[in-house]
Each structure stands twice: as C-alpha cells, then as structure tokens.
Amino acid sequence: MNEKGECPSSILEKLKVYQNRMEEELRHTMDFWINHSHDSQNGGFFTCLGQDGKIYDTDKYGWMLGRQVWMYSKLYNETAEYKTDFVLKAALSGAEFLMKHVSRQEDGRCYFQVTADGKPIKLQRKLFTECFYAMAMAELGRAMDMQKYKIQAEETLSKIIYWARVDDSALGLTKLEGQMLVNAMAIPMMLLCVIDEVCGCDEAIRERYAADEEWAVQQILQHVQRDGSIILETVSMDGKELPGIHGRHMNPGHAMEAGWFLLQYAARKGNKELQQTAIDKFIKAPFDLGWDKKHEGIFYFLDADGLCPVPLEWNMKLWWVHNEALIALLMAYEKTREEGLLQRFDQCFNYAFNKFPDPKHGEWFGYLDRRGDITHTIKGGPFKGCFHLPRCLYVCIDMLHMILQS
C-alpha cells in the first residue's frame, strides 16, 4: 500500500492472477461434482469417487451430503453462473434425501453413514453431522424461500447448542472414571460457524443466538496458550493446557479455520482487538509454525513441544488445510492490507495450486506425503466431498473481487 492507501500495480496484477486461476478452478471443480456425484435413482449424492469420477462405493455420508447441499445452495444464492434450475433441483434432491433418510425424526440425530437408498449404517457419537445438516437446510431455505427448510435448520441448531453447552448425553458418549472433561476446539468453532450460517443476514434471528455466539468465541479463545504463541486443539474446561500427547496436539488447519470464523465475527461486532487476536494468534502463528521449511506445504499435525507427533499422518499435506489457510490469509489481508499476509497467501497459493489440482479430470487430490507426492488418487470419500475446495475458491474469489474493486 502507498501513502494514499492504494495498491501498487504489481500487487493488483497478482490479485487478478489469483482471481482468474481460482475462477477457472471453481468451474473445473463444480463440473466434476455435477457430472459424477448425482444419484438420479435415489436422490442425494455419491462422494466415494475415484480420480476420473468413477464411483467406487455407493454408501452415502451425512457430513458430505449436508456440505454439498450447502455448497450448491450457496453458489445458487450468490453467483450468476450457478443460479440455475439444475443446481437448485440438485440441492433440493440432496436436502430431501437428508430429511427422509439421514435425519432421525424422533430425536433430531443424523446418521453419519447410510446405504445408497438411505438405510442407516452408522451413527456417530458427535454433533458434526447435525451441524452440516443445519447449514444445508438454512442455505436451501434461503434459496427456496421456504419455511420448511428454515424451521429444520433452527430446530437442529437448538439441539446442537443444547448438546454443546448443556448436556451431550443424547449423543451416546460414555463418561469413564479416568476421562477428563475437555474443551475441544472443534465444537465451539463449528457452533460459531453454524450460527452464522443459520442466521445469515437476519439480524432478528441472530439476536436470539447472540449469547451462544459469544460463548463459542470465548471457548475458542481459551485455546490460545503459552503466552499467545500456540493454539492447542484441546484444553481443560477452564482453559488450561492438558498433560500428555493430547494436550500438546496442534492442528494448524483447524486453528486457521477458527481464525477466519473469528475474523467474520469481529467484523460484525466492530471488535478490532478480536480481529488482531484472530490474525496474530489463529492465522499468522499457526501458518508459520505449520509450514514445512524443507519440503513446503503445511503439516497436518504438530506437537507443541516439538516432539514427534503420534498420528501416523502428521506430516502429510492435506487439501483442506491449505484451503482454510488460503481463506484465512486472504481475509486477514483484506481487513488490514498487510503485505506480509499477502506474501504468506502467495506462498500457500503457489504450493497448493502446483501440487493438488488435477487438470485432466478436475477437483483436487486430497492427500500428499511430506514431499508433496500424491498418496491417494481418490477425489472423494467419507471425509472429502464438494465442500472445502469449492468453498475456498468461492470465498476467495468474492474477497479478491472486493479488494480489486476497492
């Protein structure tokens, strides 16, 4: 930035390059899912897709179904290119499958895994399937302008809040004698995200959840540890570091994802202090600590004491970690115009767009070894679907447009 607050022409040209590449990648990505994942017989989507889109397993997964309905609905609502009857009908097909086969009407729980025609296989003792169900229903409700889906979203959100804040026994978790109660960051960060998605631009609804949003923010901030130098994935209920390998566990991707959730909340509240905490503690520090200085890319997991992490996949490079880093870094740059943030974004962009894309078939490979070589050629599975990559591309394209226009 110069003294007039203007971007030099070299930066503007670079931003345009990012925008053009991401727009091209979004088209290739959505083409992949539109061409290969739709189940015209039973409704919903297949996500176990090989490199060329061939289905290798017909089971369906609640996380992935909810995420894909949300993604289709979001693109329908927010972009001209995907505001088509075809996209809306596909989202509607996924939502109806979710309501009929994934959501358990008697208690609001959602199955994690079902057969192609919707017979239940697995129910997780976690609340995340319900989170993606609520997000899907909220965004489709806006697309269709139908109370049916909006009511589903709010009713599910109410259950999620109760499980997160009051009593999670309905999830089927067994409390054992030696087990400590902990604050796992995934829960408040997802709660913050889901509240934001369900409320959208409706300030009257958001006001009803204001206390829950603030609770989630404070729970997330408890994960800032060791004088603000690290973000731990799990802490005690009173915000203290826990002993052992689980206490030292760090997930840079989660930290940065939480960072941009906090940035959005800080922007709505006009909270500059929270904005700076999100940037410094949740985005810059995890990126810098997580960056592999030898082979590039962001490590999946780290140990806070620098010991060898226990998870076997700790030094792999995963697509979603880099997707969340790209959103977080660009959002932080958009708020501050700090050149160091754009340099980090460029660093992550170059690695990700050199290593993960498949120009022949579309979509990204999801899993690389430490050196950046592909370990899995599949494009989708129980935990990879039409979500992290297209969300990253859509959000970043939108931010780049705003930056260039300003």
Side-chain angles (χ1 to χ4, degrees), residues 251-266:
N251 183 333
H254 255 178
M256 288 183 280
E257 187 176 14
W260 71 264
F261 292 170
L262 290 172
L263 269 185
Q264 289 183 316
Y265 181 82

Side-chain angles (χ1 to χ4, degrees), residues 39-88:
D39 182 354
S40 58
Q41 180 178 347
N42 300 295
F45 310 105
F46 299 112
T47 56
C48 293
L49 305 179
Q51 180 176 354
D52 60 358
K54 183 177 180 181
I55 299 166
Y56 65 85
D57 193 293
T58 59
D59 286 351
K60 294 171 181 172
Y61 296 87
W63 287 30
M64 301 300 107
L65 289 165
R67 287 169 162 182
Q68 193 157 347
V69 171
W70 177 86
M71 195 70 249
Y72 277 35
S73 301
K74 177 64 74 173
L75 290 174
Y76 176 87
N77 287 334
E78 303 293 340
T79 71
E81 185 170 353
Y82 294 99
K83 197 173 187 64
T84 67
D85 288 343
F86 179 84
V87 170
L88 185 59

